[in-house]
């Protein structure tokens, strides 16, 4: 059974750096073909794809956010980490990690950006 | 950057067929996926690889692609099918994911 769970701060101040961790089980990110993506959803708005990290450590980012995002993995811990720099109130929303083509999602974590 | 375009809303009566479209230039070459999201919940995959249905998804959900248009069809829509539906795919390189803007399905 595949599970994913996001963790991180619920409240972040503007200009700070946000660090989110996705802890997963039921698969290994060292296995060929495995990928984990990050997605966010502002309140009442649409899903937005942010980034992806693959089993071979290839990393891909949303064009509009690539200067602010970094994704990394710790295969031994079964974790994927997303950092987003220079946080702004418009970054408020629920952040998910997921295996998108398999339909496995975490429950999401709500991040509020406010001073 | 690459975009997928969906209608903002679709409304049908119970028992009717609901069709939600998703338009994107790379859809002839890249698989489309459909997600259902109900309020306060994580999305649920209802169609993968254009037309395949995950286990546990009712048979009334089906998917198809023709040219640059992917379509999610709900045959005999039920009240419990109400929610937001998102298509997902990648750009032509396969490296960057993208979601459509979402379609709110109302069944009443």
């Amino acid at each position: 059974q595949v599970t994913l769970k996001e963790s991180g701060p619920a409240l972040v101040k503007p200009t700070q750096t946000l660090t989110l961790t996705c802890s997963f089980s039921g698969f290994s990110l060292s296995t060929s073909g495995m990928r984990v993506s990050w997605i966010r959803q502002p309140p009442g708005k649409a899903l937005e794809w942010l980034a992806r990290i693959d089993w071979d450590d290839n990393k891909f980012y949303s064009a509009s956010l690539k200067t602010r995002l970094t994704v990394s993995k710790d295969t031994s811990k079964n974790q994927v980490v997303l950092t987003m720099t220079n946080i702004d109130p418009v970054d408020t929303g629920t952040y998910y990690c997921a295996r998108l083509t398999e339909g496995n999602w975490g429950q999401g974590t709500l991040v509020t950006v406010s001073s | 950057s690459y975009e997928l375009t969906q209608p903002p809303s679709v409304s049908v009566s119970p028992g009717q067929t609901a069709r939600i479209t998703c338009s994107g230039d790379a859809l002839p070459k890249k698989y489309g996926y459909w997600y259902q999201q109900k309020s306060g919940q994580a999305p649920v995959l209802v169609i993968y690889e254009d037309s395949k249905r995950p286990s546990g998804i009712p048979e009334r959900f089906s998917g198809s692609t023709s040219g640059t248009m992917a379509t999610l069809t709900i045959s005999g829509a039920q009240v419990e099918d109400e929610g937001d539906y998102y298509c997902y795919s990648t750009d032509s390189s396969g490296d960057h994911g993208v979601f459509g803007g979402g379609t709110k399905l109302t069944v009443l």
Side-chain angles (χ1 to χ4, degrees), chain B residues 57-80:
Chain B
I57 300 301
E59 291 185 7
R60 62 181 180 272
F61 287 86
S62 63
S64 61
T65 298
S66 178
T68 60
M69 184 83 73
T71 302
L72 173 69
T73 300
I74 308 173
S75 303
Q78 301 184 8
V79 173
E80 59 260 37

Side-chain angles (χ1 to χ4, degrees), chain A residues 41 49 52 60-61 100-101 105, chain B residues 33 35 37 94-97:
Chain A
Q41 186 172 37
W49 182 86
R52 191 186 87 207
F60 306 97
Y61 300 99
L100 284 170
T101 56
W105 289 60
Chain B
Y33 300 77
Y35 279 95
Q37 187 181 35
D95 293 338
H96 301 91

Side-chain angles (χ1 to χ4, degrees), chain A residues 21-43:
Chain A
T21 300
C22 174
S23 301
F24 58 86
S25 64
F27 67 98
S28 173
L29 202 40
S30 61
T31 299
S32 178
M34 293 297 167
R35 303 170 167 182
V36 172
S37 294
W38 284 94
I39 304 100
R40 72 177 178 181
Q41 186 172 37

